Amino acid sequence: MKTKTHQTIVLNEVPCPFCSLICDDLVIQNKDSKLTVKENGCAKVKAHFAQPLPDSTPALKGKSCSIDKAIKAAATILKQSSAPLIAGLGTDIGGMRSVMHLADNIGATIDHMHSDGVIRNTLVLQDLGWVMTTMAEIKNRADFIIFAGTDASNYPRFFERVIWNKNSLFRNIKKRKIVYIGDKLKTSTGRSPEGKLPTVLKCEQEEINEIISVLHAIIAGNIIQTPKIAGISLATLLKLAKQMQEAKYGVIVWAPGELNFPHAELTIQSICELVKYLTRTTRFAGFTLAGADGAMSANNVSAWQSGFPLRVNFSKGFPRHDVGRNSTKSLLKNKEVDALMWISSFSSNTRPPKAKIPTVVLATPEAKLDFKPDVFIPVATPGIDHSGQLIRTDNVVSLPLKKLRDSKYMSVSDILNRIIELI
Amino acid sequence: MLIKLSGGTVYDPVHGINGEKRDIYLQDGYITRKPASSIKIDKTYDLNGKIIMAGAIDIHTHIGGGKVNIARMMLPEDHRADLVSKTKLTRSGCGHAAPSTLTAGYRYAEMGYTACFEPAMLPSNARQAHMEMADTPMVDKGAYAMLGSDDFFLRMLTAKKDREAISDYVGWIINATQAIAIKVVNPGGINAFKFNQRKLDLDEQNEHYGVSPREIIKSLARAVRELGVPHPLHLHGCNLGVPGNMHTTLDTIRAVEGMPLHLTHVQFHSYGTEGDRKFSSGAAEIAEAVNSNPNISIDVGQVLFGQTVTASGDTMRQYAGHWHAHPKKWVIMDIECDAGCGVVPFKYRDKNFVNALQWAIGLELFLLINDPWRIFLTTDHPNGAPFTSYPHLIRLLMDRSFRNDMLATINKGAAAASILSSIDREYTLYEIATMTRAAPARSLGLKNRGHLGGGAIADITVYNNIKNKEKMFEKPLYVFKNGEEIVKNGKIVKVVTGGTHTLRPDYDKSIEKSLKKYFDRYMTVKLGNFKIDDDEIVEHGNGNIIVQPCT
């Protein structure tokens, strides 16, 4: 797309790359390469789109240099490393394909900045599995929705798009029942357009598991003696259990990144086992809100190219999947890696870890770093500066990202492909 | 570059060549006629005593898309047993039940395959399916778009839309998702499961829409024919795995009233209810129906023993089957008012009566269906077994004494319940070449593939002539893809990308008006973003688009 001076271009149906809902109804104006959200963006992303393109250059230890020199220096660091870590992974499918190729070539470990959440789900999938659903099914089929430990506020348009949506194929939206279980949840969004309030079961995030387990026990026909469970009266849970069994299409929503306590995967597993049990008689499904900064894409590309979801190590020449050992935090802490490449092409707020090993940072030009990495290369943002694809939070739908403006910065994929050639 | 394949024994059923000694010439990726003697030949392969066939084509193999990737994510223990190291040429990965895309491509090529078709591409997941297929090197790919449980189509049927409108929708789907054919899985059943229906027979109605699988099958089979899609409607029928489903299958054959229809993984749909276990083989009746209805083609979906994973769009039947999951984990997903998927790991045991009889039923079908042009070799990878078991399966078909030796090792009750030991038939190389090359190419409308005539794409496999057919087919001497030597002695010598076969049927574009309205109101992506541009498939440099003509 060529942008001439003083030209205003309006683009419709623009997919937004900044959260994993990937809303694709945005109307974006490009006026002299300055982007403005004209319609449908949430408050959160308006600022992202409006970010100007600062004049940044590649740099070696803070000293400005040419792109060729920076790529060469990055290649040298990775080549000399015997245990490199490629982390952050804030990129699109194309960038991730190149990450996989590079990691395989140099025997690196790969890990995403939001893996902690993604991996809680992975553990449940690999242990017992689940029954899941996607956004359009919730929008059209769900009559009963439980938010477990999340209020979806990190996904600002979730309620607008699939809970209080205007049109639905099969459901009277007004009759949708909303339940929240958890702590510090903003439950006002759960109020229906007619003013009907949601049911709120306030408990510690760590206590969600207890409530879910008791609901499961009740639904399975067990007699519960305890009058209060995690501060909630048994009568409330008995009522909720009955509503769940009577639902035509129930959904339990959780955000693995927001269940941030040790062994939260067991809470997720309890949710999934309850959903499975309900599926014996009615229809129920899980839904997960996760994966900003391309985390779902990274997880999926890792799975299809290596056979394993995230946290894979290639040091032996073949992929090794270990969700505990291969985490950025523990690899750096245990000094198991000797070079770090950090990738973050969506948000300037995601900071690389400060490590005492040679570090290459591929980040948005406006990234504010609190240290001077050995190599810094400003990169283009997928869906803003170049086209691409991203996978949505439900792990099924992927959207085509558009190029909205001309950028002088290279894509992550192009940079990594040049590094691959040099190694 | 002019290449001569000299003196090999050629099996080319399209041209009726049955084991004749022939020279074959390759130039610029194509097979060419014998050049004038004045023209210099750049390279000659002496293939005296070697067997030459076109590259093999797998018409039904789950190699890409969401359900396969769920299977990959959920089975680290299976992958850890088959890790694949990188080499100077090839990338690392892993194999067995749900291999990584790269390993799948390498292993298909190393087995002499040059094209693979993903049979269950959900339109809402098509972009990812294409991305996975693009990352499957060596072979050409293609995919069948899944319809029949999508709410847009069922609303059309309920509203009694005319057949032209339905054809327009089907044509639009093929174009928008870059598909080459149409698949229907448990017609209307995936949808009915979302309304909590747990079974749906051929004439049972979807409770919400009031339409039956019979109506869905007829409507889609007609649309596919009217659009000129070469491959018939690819049908995964009702009642998969249910004892007695042979009657559903026979009724389904009658239901299409002579229209072309492809019944996929028929082994899973050929069960009777005879005997003490109320589970018996319906292979003889199914074979008889296939033999006497020339509009019907099938693939078998052979079961072979061992651990695998079943990945299917059929949520209704996968849910019912999850009780048998091994290991005990499983996934069911409802997807985008479009379809769904179910992933259930499974271990077929030779000493288990049902599994052993499934194995026998598949072989009975292979051996009782006469026309190799209408039966294709599949295991419904990975549902019956991983595709890497094809050489073993070919030996079972070609070698009666080997087959009977295997039969003697399975569950005694199943062996006794099967007529397998009484069947003398052994497949010939000519028949194998038909069912794995010529016939799938013809069925899919790939005119310049699946044969070795002048003008064909030079996708060629050369085998050593070994008596043990498993050994012969698992390790070809050479594989040529688009005229380039890519495999030697069963190992990759050159990595190529492969293209994507698509079809561009004509349809009335005004269908987009009602589709746009539907997408804006009910879907969660915009119509424009649902469609997959050519650029998306070719941009990453790992594939090209091959547009096949409609009939």
Side-chain angles (χ1 to χ4, degrees), chain A residues 24 126 134 136-137 161 249 279 281 304-305 307 321 396, chain B residues 79-80 91-92 101 125 135 194 196 198 329 334 336 524 526:
Chain A
D24 72 337
Q126 293 180 341
T134 69
E137 300 289 3
R161 291 185 62 203
Y249 196 99
T279 306
T281 49
W304 81 59
Q305 287 208 0
H321 171 64
V396 170
Chain B
H79 291 159
R80 284 186 184 119
R91 297 263 305 273
S92 73
T101 53
N125 185 244
D135 287 352
K194 294 174 186 174
N196 205 24
R198 300 296 166 124
K329 52 183 171 182
D334 295 327
E336 287 297 280
T524 51
K526 292 289 178 188

PDB file of all heavy atoms in Angstrom, chain A residues 24 126 134 136-137 161 249 279 281 304-305 307 321 396, chain B residues 79-80 91-92 101 125 135 194 196 198 329 334 336 524 526:
ATOM      1  N   ASP A  24     -12.457  -8.210  14.262  1.00  0.00           N
ATOM      2  CA  ASP A  24     -12.063  -7.889  12.883  1.00  0.00           C
ATOM      3  C   ASP A  24     -13.040  -6.937  12.196  1.00  0.00           C
ATOM      4  O   ASP A  24     -13.189  -6.957  10.984  1.00  0.00           O
ATOM      5  CB  ASP A  24     -11.884  -9.177  12.064  1.00  0.00           C
ATOM      6  CG  ASP A  24     -13.199  -9.857  11.752  1.00  0.00           C
ATOM      7  OD1 ASP A  24     -14.182  -9.631  12.478  1.00  0.00           O
ATOM      8  OD2 ASP A  24     -13.245 -10.612  10.763  1.00  0.00           O
ATOM      9  N   GLN A 126      -3.232 -32.568  28.178  1.00  0.00           N
ATOM     10  CA  GLN A 126      -2.390 -33.764  28.071  1.00  0.00           C
ATOM     11  C   GLN A 126      -2.728 -34.813  29.127  1.00  0.00           C
ATOM     12  O   GLN A 126      -2.340 -35.962  28.993  1.00  0.00           O
ATOM     13  CB  GLN A 126      -0.906 -33.363  28.191  1.00  0.00           C
ATOM     14  CG  GLN A 126      -0.449 -32.522  27.003  1.00  0.00           C
ATOM     15  CD  GLN A 126       1.011 -32.111  27.094  1.00  0.00           C
ATOM     16  OE1 GLN A 126       1.607 -32.145  28.157  1.00  0.00           O
ATOM     17  NE2 GLN A 126       1.573 -31.718  25.960  1.00  0.00           N
ATOM     18  N   THR A 134     -16.376 -22.508  20.938  1.00  0.00           N
ATOM     19  CA  THR A 134     -15.761 -21.332  20.316  1.00  0.00           C
ATOM     20  C   THR A 134     -16.711 -20.138  20.389  1.00  0.00           C
ATOM     21  O   THR A 134     -17.867 -20.269  20.792  1.00  0.00           O
ATOM     22  CB  THR A 134     -15.415 -21.609  18.840  1.00  0.00           C
ATOM     23  OG1 THR A 134     -16.634 -21.736  18.106  1.00  0.00           O
ATOM     24  CG2 THR A 134     -14.590 -22.872  18.682  1.00  0.00           C
ATOM     25  N   ALA A 136     -18.436 -18.206  18.274  1.00  0.00           N
ATOM     26  CA  ALA A 136     -19.737 -18.140  17.592  1.00  0.00           C
ATOM     27  C   ALA A 136     -20.751 -19.086  18.238  1.00  0.00           C
ATOM     28  O   ALA A 136     -21.956 -18.819  18.225  1.00  0.00           O
ATOM     29  CB  ALA A 136     -19.590 -18.459  16.105  1.00  0.00           C
ATOM     30  N   GLU A 137     -20.277 -20.178  18.817  1.00  0.00           N
ATOM     31  CA  GLU A 137     -21.192 -21.091  19.514  1.00  0.00           C
ATOM     32  C   GLU A 137     -21.743 -20.421  20.773  1.00  0.00           C
ATOM     33  O   GLU A 137     -22.936 -20.541  21.080  1.00  0.00           O
ATOM     34  CB  GLU A 137     -20.495 -22.408  19.892  1.00  0.00           C
ATOM     35  CG  GLU A 137     -19.937 -23.222  18.731  1.00  0.00           C
ATOM     36  CD  GLU A 137     -21.010 -23.866  17.866  1.00  0.00           C
ATOM     37  OE1 GLU A 137     -22.221 -23.653  18.093  1.00  0.00           O
ATOM     38  OE2 GLU A 137     -20.623 -24.584  16.915  1.00  0.00           O
ATOM     39  N   ARG A 161     -19.486  -8.735  22.169  1.00  0.00           N
ATOM     40  CA  ARG A 161     -19.510  -9.554  20.949  1.00  0.00           C
ATOM     41  C   ARG A 161     -20.258 -10.870  21.114  1.00  0.00           C
ATOM     42  O   ARG A 161     -20.928 -11.308  20.176  1.00  0.00           O
ATOM     43  CB  ARG A 161     -18.081  -9.813  20.455  1.00  0.00           C
ATOM     44  CG  ARG A 161     -17.415  -8.549  19.919  1.00  0.00           C
ATOM     45  CD  ARG A 161     -16.051  -8.849  19.330  1.00  0.00           C
ATOM     46  NE  ARG A 161     -16.144  -9.756  18.204  1.00  0.00           N
ATOM     47  CZ  ARG A 161     -15.145 -10.511  17.788  1.00  0.00           C
ATOM     48  NH1 ARG A 161     -13.973 -10.481  18.410  1.00  0.00           N
ATOM     49  NH2 ARG A 161     -15.303 -11.303  16.747  1.00  0.00           N
ATOM     50  N   TYR A 249     -27.298 -25.160  26.931  1.00  0.00           N
ATOM     51  CA  TYR A 249     -25.919 -25.084  26.435  1.00  0.00           C
ATOM     52  C   TYR A 249     -25.149 -24.161  27.373  1.00  0.00           C
ATOM     53  O   TYR A 249     -25.218 -22.939  27.270  1.00  0.00           O
ATOM     54  CB  TYR A 249     -25.887 -24.550  24.996  1.00  0.00           C
ATOM     55  CG  TYR A 249     -24.575 -24.806  24.284  1.00  0.00           C
ATOM     56  CD1 TYR A 249     -24.435 -25.877  23.400  1.00  0.00           C
ATOM     57  CD2 TYR A 249     -23.465 -23.997  24.513  1.00  0.00           C
ATOM     58  CE1 TYR A 249     -23.229 -26.122  22.756  1.00  0.00           C
ATOM     59  CE2 TYR A 249     -22.261 -24.240  23.877  1.00  0.00           C
ATOM     60  CZ  TYR A 249     -22.153 -25.304  22.996  1.00  0.00           C
ATOM     61  OH  TYR A 249     -20.951 -25.557  22.356  1.00  0.00           O
ATOM     62  N   THR A 279     -21.841 -33.009  30.362  1.00  0.00           N
ATOM     63  CA  THR A 279     -22.052 -33.395  28.968  1.00  0.00           C
ATOM     64  C   THR A 279     -22.712 -34.774  28.844  1.00  0.00           C
ATOM     65  O   THR A 279     -23.256 -35.124  27.813  1.00  0.00           O
ATOM     66  CB  THR A 279     -20.712 -33.353  28.204  1.00  0.00           C
ATOM     67  OG1 THR A 279     -20.148 -32.056  28.385  1.00  0.00           O
ATOM     68  CG2 THR A 279     -20.883 -33.589  26.716  1.00  0.00           C
ATOM     69  N   THR A 281     -25.423 -35.562  30.159  1.00  0.00           N
ATOM     70  CA  THR A 281     -26.877 -35.413  30.058  1.00  0.00           C
ATOM     71  C   THR A 281     -27.315 -34.181  29.272  1.00  0.00           C
ATOM     72  O   THR A 281     -28.344 -34.190  28.617  1.00  0.00           O
ATOM     73  CB  THR A 281     -27.515 -35.329  31.461  1.00  0.00           C
ATOM     74  OG1 THR A 281     -26.793 -34.360  32.211  1.00  0.00           O
ATOM     75  CG2 THR A 281     -27.465 -36.667  32.154  1.00  0.00           C
ATOM     76  N   TRP A 304       2.467 -27.902  15.456  1.00  0.00           N
ATOM     77  CA  TRP A 304       2.441 -28.559  14.142  1.00  0.00           C
ATOM     78  C   TRP A 304       3.838 -28.777  13.570  1.00  0.00           C
ATOM     79  O   TRP A 304       4.072 -29.755  12.895  1.00  0.00           O
ATOM     80  CB  TRP A 304       1.450 -27.916  13.195  1.00  0.00           C
ATOM     81  CG  TRP A 304       1.770 -26.675  12.425  1.00  0.00           C
ATOM     82  CD1 TRP A 304       2.793 -26.500  11.533  1.00  0.00           C
ATOM     83  CD2 TRP A 304       0.988 -25.456  12.394  1.00  0.00           C
ATOM     84  NE1 TRP A 304       2.701 -25.249  10.980  1.00  0.00           N
ATOM     85  CE2 TRP A 304       1.618 -24.589  11.472  1.00  0.00           C
ATOM     86  CE3 TRP A 304      -0.161 -25.021  13.030  1.00  0.00           C
ATOM     87  CZ2 TRP A 304       1.120 -23.312  11.188  1.00  0.00           C
ATOM     88  CZ3 TRP A 304      -0.649 -23.756  12.751  1.00  0.00           C
ATOM     89  CH2 TRP A 304      -0.009 -22.904  11.845  1.00  0.00           C
ATOM     90  N   GLN A 305       4.797 -27.866  13.889  1.00  0.00           N
ATOM     91  CA  GLN A 305       6.125 -28.077  13.298  1.00  0.00           C
ATOM     92  C   GLN A 305       6.995 -29.030  14.112  1.00  0.00           C
ATOM     93  O   GLN A 305       7.832 -29.727  13.545  1.00  0.00           O
ATOM     94  CB  GLN A 305       6.835 -26.740  13.117  1.00  0.00           C
ATOM     95  CG  GLN A 305       6.247 -25.918  11.967  1.00  0.00           C
ATOM     96  CD  GLN A 305       7.263 -24.993  11.327  1.00  0.00           C
ATOM     97  OE1 GLN A 305       8.419 -24.935  11.714  1.00  0.00           O
ATOM     98  NE2 GLN A 305       6.824 -24.272  10.312  1.00  0.00           N
ATOM     99  N   GLY A 307       5.617 -31.080  16.770  1.00  0.00           N
ATOM    100  CA  GLY A 307       4.831 -32.152  17.371  1.00  0.00           C
ATOM    101  C   GLY A 307       4.510 -31.896  18.842  1.00  0.00           C
ATOM    102  O   GLY A 307       3.767 -32.659  19.444  1.00  0.00           O
ATOM    103  N   HIS A 321      10.002 -31.625  24.880  1.00  0.00           N
ATOM    104  CA  HIS A 321       8.954 -30.804  25.476  1.00  0.00           C
ATOM    105  C   HIS A 321       9.013 -30.978  26.982  1.00  0.00           C
ATOM    106  O   HIS A 321       8.922 -32.096  27.480  1.00  0.00           O
ATOM    107  CB  HIS A 321       7.617 -31.316  24.903  1.00  0.00           C
ATOM    108  CG  HIS A 321       6.390 -30.767  25.537  1.00  0.00           C
ATOM    109  ND1 HIS A 321       6.051 -29.439  25.492  1.00  0.00           N
ATOM    110  CD2 HIS A 321       5.384 -31.375  26.205  1.00  0.00           C
ATOM    111  CE1 HIS A 321       4.890 -29.262  26.113  1.00  0.00           C
ATOM    112  NE2 HIS A 321       4.470 -30.417  26.559  1.00  0.00           N
ATOM    113  N   VAL A 396      -9.155 -22.150  17.268  1.00  0.00           N
ATOM    114  CA  VAL A 396      -9.732 -22.689  16.038  1.00  0.00           C
ATOM    115  C   VAL A 396      -9.645 -21.679  14.900  1.00  0.00           C
ATOM    116  O   VAL A 396      -9.158 -21.987  13.812  1.00  0.00           O
ATOM    117  CB  VAL A 396     -11.221 -23.055  16.243  1.00  0.00           C
ATOM    118  CG1 VAL A 396     -11.863 -23.386  14.910  1.00  0.00           C
ATOM    119  CG2 VAL A 396     -11.353 -24.233  17.190  1.00  0.00           C
TER     120      VAL A 396
ATOM    121  N   HIS B  79       4.624 -39.095  20.980  1.00  0.00           N
ATOM    122  CA  HIS B  79       5.693 -38.462  20.194  1.00  0.00           C
ATOM    123  C   HIS B  79       7.077 -38.790  20.728  1.00  0.00           C
ATOM    124  O   HIS B  79       8.020 -38.969  19.975  1.00  0.00           O
ATOM    125  CB  HIS B  79       5.479 -36.956  20.167  1.00  0.00           C
ATOM    126  CG  HIS B  79       4.270 -36.574  19.364  1.00  0.00           C
ATOM    127  ND1 HIS B  79       3.623 -35.386  19.499  1.00  0.00           N
ATOM    128  CD2 HIS B  79       3.590 -37.250  18.419  1.00  0.00           C
ATOM    129  CE1 HIS B  79       2.596 -35.343  18.670  1.00  0.00           C
ATOM    130  NE2 HIS B  79       2.551 -36.472  18.009  1.00  0.00           N
ATOM    131  N   ARG B  80       7.161 -38.856  22.062  1.00  0.00           N
ATOM    132  CA  ARG B  80       8.485 -39.120  22.653  1.00  0.00           C
ATOM    133  C   ARG B  80       9.033 -40.475  22.240  1.00  0.00           C
ATOM    134  O   ARG B  80      10.237 -40.706  22.269  1.00  0.00           O
ATOM    135  CB  ARG B  80       8.407 -39.032  24.185  1.00  0.00           C
ATOM    136  CG  ARG B  80       8.347 -37.600  24.655  1.00  0.00           C
ATOM    137  CD  ARG B  80       8.405 -37.450  26.163  1.00  0.00           C
ATOM    138  NE  ARG B  80       8.235 -36.033  26.488  1.00  0.00           N
ATOM    139  CZ  ARG B  80       7.238 -35.544  27.222  1.00  0.00           C
ATOM    140  NH1 ARG B  80       6.348 -36.342  27.753  1.00  0.00           N
ATOM    141  NH2 ARG B  80       7.149 -34.244  27.438  1.00  0.00           N
ATOM    142  N   ARG B  91      14.329 -31.037   8.659  1.00  0.00           N
ATOM    143  CA  ARG B  91      14.105 -30.481   9.990  1.00  0.00           C
ATOM    144  C   ARG B  91      13.740 -31.595  10.979  1.00  0.00           C
ATOM    145  O   ARG B  91      13.285 -32.674  10.586  1.00  0.00           O
ATOM    146  CB  ARG B  91      12.975 -29.460   9.912  1.00  0.00           C
ATOM    147  CG  ARG B  91      13.268 -28.244   9.025  1.00  0.00           C
ATOM    148  CD  ARG B  91      13.744 -27.071   9.851  1.00  0.00           C
ATOM    149  NE  ARG B  91      12.778 -26.756  10.902  1.00  0.00           N
ATOM    150  CZ  ARG B  91      11.730 -25.951  10.762  1.00  0.00           C
ATOM    151  NH1 ARG B  91      11.509 -25.350   9.619  1.00  0.00           N
ATOM    152  NH2 ARG B  91      10.912 -25.723  11.775  1.00  0.00           N
ATOM    153  N   SER B  92      13.880 -31.293  12.240  1.00  0.00           N
ATOM    154  CA  SER B  92      13.494 -32.262  13.266  1.00  0.00           C
ATOM    155  C   SER B  92      11.977 -32.283  13.422  1.00  0.00           C
ATOM    156  O   SER B  92      11.273 -31.446  12.860  1.00  0.00           O
ATOM    157  CB  SER B  92      14.156 -31.908  14.600  1.00  0.00           C
ATOM    158  OG  SER B  92      13.533 -30.778  15.163  1.00  0.00           O
ATOM    159  N   THR B 101       4.116 -31.726  11.029  1.00  0.00           N
ATOM    160  CA  THR B 101       3.853 -31.542   9.593  1.00  0.00           C
ATOM    161  C   THR B 101       5.066 -31.908   8.749  1.00  0.00           C
ATOM    162  O   THR B 101       4.931 -32.561   7.717  1.00  0.00           O
ATOM    163  CB  THR B 101       3.478 -30.087   9.285  1.00  0.00           C
ATOM    164  OG1 THR B 101       4.486 -29.214   9.806  1.00  0.00           O
ATOM    165  CG2 THR B 101       2.127 -29.721   9.874  1.00  0.00           C
ATOM    166  N   ASN B 125     -11.946 -23.233  10.074  1.00  0.00           N
ATOM    167  CA  ASN B 125     -10.563 -23.558  10.447  1.00  0.00           C
ATOM    168  C   ASN B 125      -9.672 -23.736   9.210  1.00  0.00           C
ATOM    169  O   ASN B 125      -8.535 -24.169   9.281  1.00  0.00           O
ATOM    170  CB  ASN B 125     -10.568 -24.849  11.290  1.00  0.00           C
ATOM    171  CG  ASN B 125      -9.210 -25.235  11.837  1.00  0.00           C
ATOM    172  OD1 ASN B 125      -8.679 -26.275  11.483  1.00  0.00           O
ATOM    173  ND2 ASN B 125      -8.624 -24.408  12.669  1.00  0.00           N
ATOM    174  N   ASP B 135       3.166 -26.215   5.543  1.00  0.00           N
ATOM    175  CA  ASP B 135       4.358 -26.635   6.274  1.00  0.00           C
ATOM    176  C   ASP B 135       4.579 -28.149   6.198  1.00  0.00           C
ATOM    177  O   ASP B 135       5.375 -28.700   6.952  1.00  0.00           O
ATOM    178  CB  ASP B 135       4.261 -26.196   7.748  1.00  0.00           C
ATOM    179  CG  ASP B 135       4.465 -24.687   7.893  1.00  0.00           C
ATOM    180  OD1 ASP B 135       4.821 -24.037   6.887  1.00  0.00           O
ATOM    181  OD2 ASP B 135       4.277 -24.156   9.006  1.00  0.00           O
ATOM    182  N   LYS B 194     -25.105 -30.580  19.075  1.00  0.00           N
ATOM    183  CA  LYS B 194     -25.115 -29.279  19.774  1.00  0.00           C
ATOM    184  C   LYS B 194     -26.479 -29.005  20.399  1.00  0.00           C
ATOM    185  O   LYS B 194     -26.593 -28.213  21.328  1.00  0.00           O
ATOM    186  CB  LYS B 194     -24.734 -28.156  18.810  1.00  0.00           C
ATOM    187  CG  LYS B 194     -23.297 -28.246  18.306  1.00  0.00           C
ATOM    188  CD  LYS B 194     -22.994 -27.205  17.245  1.00  0.00           C
ATOM    189  CE  LYS B 194     -21.600 -27.429  16.664  1.00  0.00           C
ATOM    190  NZ  LYS B 194     -21.296 -26.542  15.538  1.00  0.00           N
ATOM    191  N   ASN B 196     -28.043 -31.442  21.752  1.00  0.00           N
ATOM    192  CA  ASN B 196     -28.087 -32.563  22.689  1.00  0.00           C
ATOM    193  C   ASN B 196     -28.761 -33.818  22.126  1.00  0.00           C
ATOM    194  O   ASN B 196     -29.203 -34.674  22.887  1.00  0.00           O
ATOM    195  CB  ASN B 196     -28.744 -32.162  24.019  1.00  0.00           C
ATOM    196  CG  ASN B 196     -28.269 -33.053  25.161  1.00  0.00           C
ATOM    197  OD1 ASN B 196     -27.177 -33.626  25.082  1.00  0.00           O
ATOM    198  ND2 ASN B 196     -29.077 -33.185  26.194  1.00  0.00           N
ATOM    199  N   ARG B 198     -28.273 -37.413  20.634  1.00  0.00           N
ATOM    200  CA  ARG B 198     -27.140 -38.322  20.795  1.00  0.00           C
ATOM    201  C   ARG B 198     -27.028 -39.340  19.681  1.00  0.00           C
ATOM    202  O   ARG B 198     -26.077 -40.099  19.604  1.00  0.00           O
ATOM    203  CB  ARG B 198     -27.237 -39.015  22.156  1.00  0.00           C
ATOM    204  CG  ARG B 198     -27.224 -38.039  23.325  1.00  0.00           C
ATOM    205  CD  ARG B 198     -25.921 -37.277  23.409  1.00  0.00           C
ATOM    206  NE  ARG B 198     -25.957 -36.121  24.298  1.00  0.00           N
ATOM    207  CZ  ARG B 198     -25.122 -35.942  25.311  1.00  0.00           C
ATOM    208  NH1 ARG B 198     -24.206 -36.824  25.584  1.00  0.00           N
ATOM    209  NH2 ARG B 198     -25.201 -34.854  26.044  1.00  0.00           N
ATOM    210  N   LYS B 329      -7.930 -39.960  27.873  1.00  0.00           N
ATOM    211  CA  LYS B 329      -8.077 -38.507  27.717  1.00  0.00           C
ATOM    212  C   LYS B 329      -8.710 -38.283  26.360  1.00  0.00           C
ATOM    213  O   LYS B 329      -8.507 -39.068  25.434  1.00  0.00           O
ATOM    214  CB  LYS B 329      -6.729 -37.807  27.835  1.00  0.00           C
ATOM    215  CG  LYS B 329      -5.620 -38.358  26.933  1.00  0.00           C
ATOM    216  CD  LYS B 329      -4.313 -37.637  27.194  1.00  0.00           C
ATOM    217  CE  LYS B 329      -3.142 -38.285  26.495  1.00  0.00           C
ATOM    218  NZ  LYS B 329      -1.871 -37.614  26.786  1.00  0.00           N
ATOM    219  N   ASP B 334     -17.179 -28.063  19.965  1.00  0.00           N
ATOM    220  CA  ASP B 334     -18.174 -27.497  19.056  1.00  0.00           C
ATOM    221  C   ASP B 334     -17.523 -26.295  18.396  1.00  0.00           C
ATOM    222  O   ASP B 334     -16.887 -25.492  19.081  1.00  0.00           O
ATOM    223  CB  ASP B 334     -19.401 -27.024  19.831  1.00  0.00           C
ATOM    224  CG  ASP B 334     -20.146 -28.166  20.487  1.00  0.00           C
ATOM    225  OD1 ASP B 334     -20.161 -29.276  19.921  1.00  0.00           O
ATOM    226  OD2 ASP B 334     -20.723 -27.951  21.573  1.00  0.00           O
ATOM    227  N   GLU B 336     -17.898 -22.964  15.970  1.00  0.00           N
ATOM    228  CA  GLU B 336     -18.298 -21.824  15.143  1.00  0.00           C
ATOM    229  C   GLU B 336     -19.581 -21.987  14.335  1.00  0.00           C
ATOM    230  O   GLU B 336     -19.674 -21.488  13.215  1.00  0.00           O
ATOM    231  CB  GLU B 336     -17.144 -21.457  14.193  1.00  0.00           C
ATOM    232  CG  GLU B 336     -15.961 -20.781  14.878  1.00  0.00           C
ATOM    233  CD  GLU B 336     -16.311 -19.444  15.517  1.00  0.00           C
ATOM    234  OE1 GLU B 336     -16.384 -18.436  14.817  1.00  0.00           O
ATOM    235  OE2 GLU B 336     -16.523 -19.448  16.727  1.00  0.00           O
ATOM    236  N   THR B 524     -18.551 -14.594  14.052  1.00  0.00           N
ATOM    237  CA  THR B 524     -17.617 -13.760  14.814  1.00  0.00           C
ATOM    238  C   THR B 524     -16.410 -13.358  13.971  1.00  0.00           C
ATOM    239  O   THR B 524     -15.412 -12.884  14.502  1.00  0.00           O
ATOM    240  CB  THR B 524     -17.155 -14.496  16.088  1.00  0.00           C
ATOM    241  OG1 THR B 524     -16.696 -15.798  15.712  1.00  0.00           O
ATOM    242  CG2 THR B 524     -18.283 -14.616  17.088  1.00  0.00           C
ATOM    243  N   LYS B 526     -15.670 -11.449   9.951  1.00  0.00           N
ATOM    244  CA  LYS B 526     -16.313 -10.813   8.805  1.00  0.00           C
ATOM    245  C   LYS B 526     -16.144 -11.702   7.575  1.00  0.00           C
ATOM    246  O   LYS B 526     -15.137 -12.411   7.431  1.00  0.00           O
ATOM    247  CB  LYS B 526     -15.678  -9.437   8.564  1.00  0.00           C
ATOM    248  CG  LYS B 526     -15.986  -8.438   9.667  1.00  0.00           C
ATOM    249  CD  LYS B 526     -17.439  -8.025   9.591  1.00  0.00           C
ATOM    250  CE  LYS B 526     -17.816  -7.067  10.701  1.00  0.00           C
ATOM    251  NZ  LYS B 526     -19.264  -6.822  10.725  1.00  0.00           N
TER     252      LYS B 526
END
